[in-house]
Amino acid sequence: MPSPHPAIEVERLRAEWQVGDRADPGFRRACTVRLNELRALFRVQPDDFAPAMIAALRGIADELRLPAPRTEAAALAAALKATFGYDSFRPGQRAIIEAVMEGRDCIAVMPTGAGKSLTYQLPARLLGGTTLVISPLISLMKDQVDALEEAGLRATFLNSSLPPDERARRVGALRRGEYELCYAAPEGLEASVGEALEGVALTLIAVDEAHCISHWGHDFRPAYRNLAGLKTRFGVPVLALTATATREVMRDIVAQLAMVQPAEVRGSFFRRNLRLSAYKKGEAGLPQVRDAIVRLVRARAGERGIVYCLSRRSVESLTEFLRRHGVTAAAYHAGLEPEERTRVQDAFRRDAVDVIVATVAFGMGIDKPDIRFVIHRDMPRSPEAYYQEIGRAGRDGAASDCVLFYSYADVMSYDRFAGDAPAEIAARQRRQPREMLNLAERPGCRHQGIVGYLGEAIAPCEDACDACAGTDVLAAAPKVSRGRRGLAVAPPAVASVAAAALPTGALAARALFEELRALRRRLADARKVPAYMVFSDATLLEIAARRPRSEAQLLAISGVGPKKLAQYGAAILDVTRSG
Ligand code: ADP
Ligand code: MG
Ligand code: ZN
């Protein structure tokens, strides 16, 4: 450090700390950085530090560890807009963020797509210091960090994929307090990452997919047990996030992470933007299931979707069938080589493949917010599995279709799998598919059915399921006709699933939306990022509906913050101003 003498540096820091704005994250960060530099200096020349200087530094360090002065509601909303461009919090987000900002431990249970990440990303910006994010999927870290950088946050990740020199560079920057967020996998904490955190001014630890810590959960990851000592070691609040709500799992999370009287926040499981429908296979008047699926997919050309199948064989044959009909589809199941699976997943993430046809093996690694449809070629194993799988659609909040095909024959297939399991497990494996069948055949609102199964009472959705709205997505999809030379297909509809949210009469808005989508594609390609990182479908829809013609009007749209305005504003306004 280019300092005249540590005594002067310490005194300067002490004086600034006295008068500075301690609610300002930038100020806190600057102080943290200087504190860390002095700590490093102390390690090499301890004799230059008089006891009074050490006490002063300790005092500042202690105060920095306390939560920043309470941020008022209006300030939180302003920070949300300034950082992410969003106009309002989703349900549950504010309660979590407030608990965290007060320095409390917090356990949050919210469904997929509820917006859990933002509940540590915004505090990371506001608290100063560094937020450590424990996340199970190394393959997603780069994307998460890229997306944060697109939003203007300073983030990084540490994991086994990094070459040693790059890793050393990041650890150095981390210790200097240059990152607001650092992602790491639980496995990494065992060894090197744990060491790297030495001397880092952590202000928050966020544990994503926290159910992985529990034996009771469905994705138990032993390394999550390593997190036990983290809270005690750093003395900072822990925020545990999960979509799995059972009591046992929650109790386990709280105990394993040594959380102290955590605030508990539960979101609603009702996802209004998912439009649910179901068809019984083999019912009179219905096309064959694969023809039905081709129709549904073709009617959604250019949109991303997942088609779940029960068996690898049907994954392979349906992929082939869709390809023959001009759909860019790829197969995914546990029988493929790991490299092939990674390749398919990457292609989907980069929008190079529109449709993934998969078994349930296609799951945790998907964080794509713009999946516009999930089709079940066969009935899922249980209501929980159904909820989890349809939950992958529409995370960005824009309308998305979930179409279920089911039959009693599917129940019998599950019975065959149950074969040799111990009695208790076998009983459950027999029960669950029957519960799923009942759910599919149950009259009334489908949302009410599935959310009710998860223990939450809601009023009928009125417009987001086939039962309430009287919709028939299959009838609405153009027919695939069987010509003499195989199948001839009607030209794909241009209107996207998301655009269906625009009023039918709003032809100009729909055309504008398609134009904006094409523009987003070009912008994303130029920056080599997936389209959703430029703008979400929900944001494009709002732009199409409101047609902003000035920068101020564009900034008023949810999803457009100062950073996006500077980066893409001119290009967007070019389109909205013309015509
Ligand atoms: P979860 O982890 O709960 O499944 P994510 O954190 O991945 O959900 O968020 C899903 C999507 O919702 C993301 O694309 C995110 O940008 C968006 N999102 C989060 N909070 C808001 C908000 N307040 N307004 C609009 N979109 C939001
Ligand atoms: Mg998440
Ligand atoms: Zn309904």
Side-chain angles (χ1 to χ4, degrees):
M1 194 174 67
S3 89
H5 193 278
I8 298 171
E9 284 299 313
V10 172
E11 178 48 30
R12 189 176 291 165
L13 177 58
R14 200 194 56 79
E16 276 174 27
W17 180 246
Q18 286 310 318
V19 298
D21 175 6
R22 296 185 192 181
D24 172 12
F27 172 71
R28 296 172 75 84
R29 184 177 318 284
C31 290
T32 305
V33 168
R34 303 229 329 252
L35 193 65
N36 284 343
E37 285 170 350
L38 285 163
R39 275 194 183 117
L41 196 61
F42 176 75
R43 260 178 248 129
V44 285
Q45 42 192 93
D47 296 346
D48 287 346
F49 288 75
M53 289 161 64
I54 297 172
L57 291 180
R58 282 237 171 86
I60 296 171
D62 285 346
E63 285 174 7
L64 268 173
R65 258 197 295 275
L66 294 175
R70 198 187 154 82
T71 318
E72 296 301 328
L76 268 192
L80 177 69
K81 181 70 186 173
T83 313
F84 294 98
Y86 298 137
D87 285 354
S88 56
F89 286 103
R90 295 238 186 105
Q93 285 180 328
R94 178 189 288 280
I96 302 170
I97 292 170
E98 279 175 353
V100 167
M101 300 291 292
E102 277 169 26
R104 288 191 66 184
D105 289 344
C106 179
I107 177 164
V109 180
M110 301 212 289
T112 305
K116 291 187 285 297
S117 330
L118 192 130
T119 63
Y120 57 79
Q121 290 166 348
L122 192 61
R125 157 96 350 146
L126 296 173
L127 285 171
T130 302
T131 292
L132 174 67
V133 186
I134 307 296
S135 164
L137 288 155
I138 290 183
S139 59
L140 290 185
M141 284 179 194
K142 189 174 173 307
D143 266 19
Q144 286 166 326
V145 166
D146 285 352
L148 284 171
E149 284 174 347
E150 284 291 305
L153 278 99
R154 278 162 301 149
T156 193
F157 62 84
L158 290 177
N159 65 34
S160 50
S161 75
L162 298 174
D165 51 338
E166 172 60 13
R167 182 192 166 76
R169 195 187 65 74
R170 292 186 188 194
V171 170
L174 186 61
R175 289 188 174 149
R176 289 193 299 276
E178 286 173 15
Y179 297 118
E180 295 166 288
L181 291 120
C182 175
Y183 286 74
E187 285 77 10
L189 286 178
E190 271 167 0
S192 47
V193 176
E195 212 170 282
L197 292 174
E198 207 56 60
V200 175
L202 287 192
T203 35
L204 173 65
I205 298 171
V207 181
D208 205 2
E209 313 289 351
H211 58 277
C212 293
I213 208 169
S214 174
H215 279 304
W216 302 104
H218 39 81
D219 300 310
F220 176 55
R221 284 265 289 259
Y224 259 74
R225 297 274 183 180
N226 299 336
L227 307 179
L230 268 190
K231 176 170 173 63
T232 346
R233 179 171 157 200
F234 289 98
V236 297
V238 169
L239 169 59
L241 300 162
T242 178
T244 309
T246 75
R247 280 280 138 203
E248 292 146 316
V249 171
M250 285 180 72
R251 234 179 293 128
D252 222 12
I253 292 172
V254 170
Q256 286 294 324
L257 292 173
M259 296 169 89
V260 182
Q261 298 181 335
E264 201 179 300
V265 179
R266 272 169 180 274
S268 168
F269 280 78
F270 174 34
R271 304 257 325 260
R272 178 177 283 286
N273 65 315
L274 302 185
R275 298 183 306 200
L276 310 183
S277 25
Y279 296 93
K280 187 162 193 168
K281 291 186 266 188
E283 200 102 290
L286 277 188
Q288 259 196 5
V289 65
R290 61 175 203 172
D291 290 342
I293 291 174
V294 168
R295 270 168 62 179
L296 290 170
V297 171
R298 294 274 317 194
R300 286 156 183 77
E303 309 263 15
R304 252 61 61 191
I306 307 175
V307 184
Y308 278 111
C309 306
L310 193 61
S311 72
R312 293 176 191 181
R313 228 186 41 220
S314 35
V315 165
E316 299 284 0
S317 66
L318 186 56
T319 309
E320 192 40 51
F321 192 69
L322 285 173
R323 283 199 185 136
R324 261 192 281 143
H325 289 85
V327 177
T328 43
Y332 188 104
H333 57 69
L336 300 174
E337 294 298 323
E339 303 83 68
E340 170 68 2
R341 291 211 299 264
T342 310
R343 202 188 57 74
V344 169
Q345 229 179 60
D346 284 349
F348 189 53
R349 199 177 307 151
R350 291 192 324 269
D351 299 334
V353 162
D354 284 340
V355 179
I356 299 284
V357 186
T359 61
V360 293
F362 192 59
M364 262 239 287
I366 328 156
D367 221 359
K368 221 173 150 42
D370 57 350
I371 294 174
R372 292 273 74 88
F373 59 91
V374 169
I375 298 172
H376 280 93
R377 182 206 178 279
D378 305 297
M379 195 188 78
R381 174 177 42 87
S382 65
E384 287 92 345
Y386 173 64
Y387 184 79
Q388 204 173 46
E389 284 152 20
I390 60 172
R392 289 168 189 146
R395 283 173 180 233
D396 55 10
S400 309
D401 286 317
C402 305
V403 187
L404 165 68
F405 293 93
Y406 68 95
S407 69
Y408 188 70
D410 295 338
V411 176
M412 303 210 311
S413 303
Y414 288 109
D415 282 355
R416 280 197 293 280
F417 294 148
D420 307 326
E424 194 186 322
I425 296 176
R428 191 176 66 209
Q429 286 179 343
R430 281 182 56 80
R431 194 181 67 238
Q432 288 178 330
R434 287 169 174 77
E435 288 173 344
M436 184 61 221
L437 185 71
N438 288 341
L439 193 67
E441 303 209 303
R442 172 188 176 280
C445 175
R446 292 194 189 278
H447 282 283
Q448 211 174 28
I450 181 67
V451 168
Y453 181 88
L454 300 172
E456 186 183 334
I458 56 166
C461 74
E462 291 183 357
D463 56 6
C465 79
D466 50 1
C468 289
T471 43
D472 184 345
V473 280
L474 202 46
K479 288 216 167 50
V480 178
S481 58
R482 237 171 247 276
R484 244 185 324 143
R485 324 179 86 216
L487 286 154
V489 180
V494 282
S496 60
V497 179
L502 294 168
T504 352
L507 287 180
R510 284 175 179 233
L512 180 57
F513 178 72
E514 298 306 332
E515 241 182 284
L516 291 166
R517 265 216 305 176
L519 169 66
R520 177 179 63 181
R521 175 81 273 150
R522 292 194 298 275
L523 294 171
D525 287 348
R527 296 181 59 77
K528 296 195 172 54
V529 295
Y532 72 83
M533 283 189 199
V534 174
F535 284 117
S536 75
D537 282 355
T539 298
L540 280 201
L541 280 170
E542 207 182 318
I543 298 177
R546 298 193 7 205
R547 195 182 266 265
R549 289 170 191 274
S550 69
E551 290 203 346
Q553 287 169 356
L554 183 54
L555 195 58
I557 304 263
S558 190
V560 185
K563 175 103 196 286
K564 302 263 170 173
L565 181 71
Q567 214 157 18
Y568 308 117
I572 296 281
L573 288 173
D574 261 358
V575 172
T576 55
R577 279 178 186 148
S578 69

